[in-house]
Amino acid sequence: MKFLCVAATALATATAFTTSPGAFTTAPTSPALNDVFTAPGAAHRTRRGIVLADGKANAIRDRITTVNNTKKITSAMKLVAAAKVRRAQDSVMATRPFSETLQSVFGGLIARLGGEAADLPLLTQREVNKVTLVVITGDRGLCGGYNSFMIKKAEARYKELEKQGIACDFILIGKKAVTYFKRREYPIRKTYDCGQNPNSKEALAISEEIINTFLSGETDAVELLYTKFLSLIASQPSVRTLVPFSASEISQQGDEVFQLTSAGGDFAVDRKELEVAEPQDFPNDMIFEQDPLQIVNSILPLYLNGQILRTLQESVASELAARMQSMQSASDNAGALAKRLSQEYNRARQASVTAEILEIVSGASALE
């Protein structure tokens, strides 16, 4: 009897110390605690999105993120280009008083001299056997067709002059034009870079090269090919003769300025045509310390320098406007692509959720 009692006691003790399946189950770790001790890169690699049938859920989601980041970059580039257009506009306005005074003095001197001014070398027309083309492009891309339009215009002009039996060479401004024409072994006289903020020093170097080339007889005419700034969505490749000058053109040619505005929240350009500066009146009894012909001959290089600087500023403004438009188009395309990818991802996710629900219902029905 005592043996049975001892056995029963031992059996009860053993039962008391038997572990149940859930007795030592580890408590689930808090997701927030996991996030604290998990590195951002590891979290990205081990994150579990909704697994689609084709296994591309994370790839689509990452692509949406990339497209949205690209949209932010292109929008920022558009705003930077707009700020630079304003700076170019301020530069044009700053040089306008000097140009007006120069035009006024030149007109007065031409009226005073009459036909004597025609004897100046820079105003003398001669038989054209060789032409130098000054081509202005940009240093960088991402500006739509700005560079390609000007390069095509210059190449077409070169071939047109060759067909007429006129020799031709280039003075290139801008890395895009330099790269293009050097690869194709066109005759190049001189090359310059075209920065985003042209100044009088750069224009002076170009104008001196043009004048020296013309006065030395190495060329009979110099033509300038640049992009005329019309609006933020339009520009026009233009050709004009720089040297020899036309006295009537200098004294009677008007001007126009542009101003970037943001009326209504959208960028726009307000163009204003300026009248021809009135010729300065020099009385007949006025005595000049220098010969008026020498004064005119000194004014012409200043006028050429001003025209080069003005066309550089206008070309840069056209490039920046083209970049603004290009970045706006890129931003719109990125937004449309992100929207389409989001729709694709959502449709695939909904299909995956529906498939999982059907599997759960089918399993429950099978157990019944």
Side-chain angles (χ1 to χ4, degrees), residues 262-341:
S262 56
D266 295 327
F267 289 114
V269 173
D270 182 19
R271 299 187 68 89
K272 181 180 179 182
E273 293 187 1
L274 302 177
E275 296 181 357
V276 180
E278 291 292 334
Q280 190 167 343
D281 185 20
F282 295 108
N284 293 329
D285 57 350
M286 178 178 288
I287 300 175
F288 293 93
E289 291 186 0
Q290 293 180 340
D291 187 6
L293 283 175
Q294 294 182 0
I295 298 176
V296 173
N297 201 28
S298 301
I299 287 177
L300 289 175
L302 292 177
Y303 175 79
L304 177 61
N305 188 21
Q307 290 299 302
I308 293 292
L309 178 59
R310 175 60 186 273
T311 52
L312 285 174
Q313 292 169 341
E314 195 160 354
S315 296
V316 168
S318 301
E319 178 187 357
L320 294 172
R323 184 168 289 114
M324 284 179 60
Q325 187 66 22
S326 179
M327 292 302 102
Q328 179 63 47
S329 300
S331 300
D332 295 342
N333 293 337
L337 180 58
K339 183 178 179 180
R340 181 175 63 80
L341 289 173

Side-chain angles (χ1 to χ4, degrees), residues 52-99:
L52 304 183
D54 55 1
K56 295 182 180 179
N58 291 341
I60 296 177
R61 183 167 49 203
D62 290 344
R63 191 178 178 193
I64 292 173
T65 302
T66 302
V67 170
N68 286 330
N69 291 338
T70 303
K71 182 179 179 181
K72 293 178 183 178
I73 294 172
T74 54
S75 298
M77 291 180 68
K78 174 190 173 184
L79 296 178
V80 170
K84 290 182 178 180
V85 169
R86 288 187 182 275
R87 187 170 62 184
Q89 161 195 318
D90 295 339
S91 300
V92 171
M93 297 301 296
T95 58
R96 180 58 195 166
F98 175 76
S99 300

Side-chain angles (χ1 to χ4, degrees), residues 133-197:
L133 300 179
V134 182
V135 184
I136 302 177
T137 62
D139 286 342
R140 298 183 297 171
L142 295 178
C143 51
Y146 168 79
N147 291 313
S148 60
F149 288 158
M150 179 49 58
I151 289 174
K152 289 179 181 178
K153 183 79 172 179
E155 200 168 25
R157 181 59 178 163
Y158 179 88
K159 293 178 181 178
E160 180 183 353
L161 291 172
E162 272 197 335
K163 288 182 180 179
Q164 298 175 6
I166 299 175
C168 187
D169 60 4
F170 286 102
I171 295 178
L172 302 175
I173 305 170
K175 293 180 180 178
K176 291 296 182 179
V178 173
T179 302
Y180 181 88
F181 288 106
K182 272 189 175 180
R183 283 180 180 176
R184 289 155 182 81
E185 298 181 351
Y186 281 90
I188 299 174
R189 176 177 297 276
K190 198 79 172 178
T191 62
Y192 300 91
D193 290 341
C194 180
Q196 296 292 297
N197 188 22

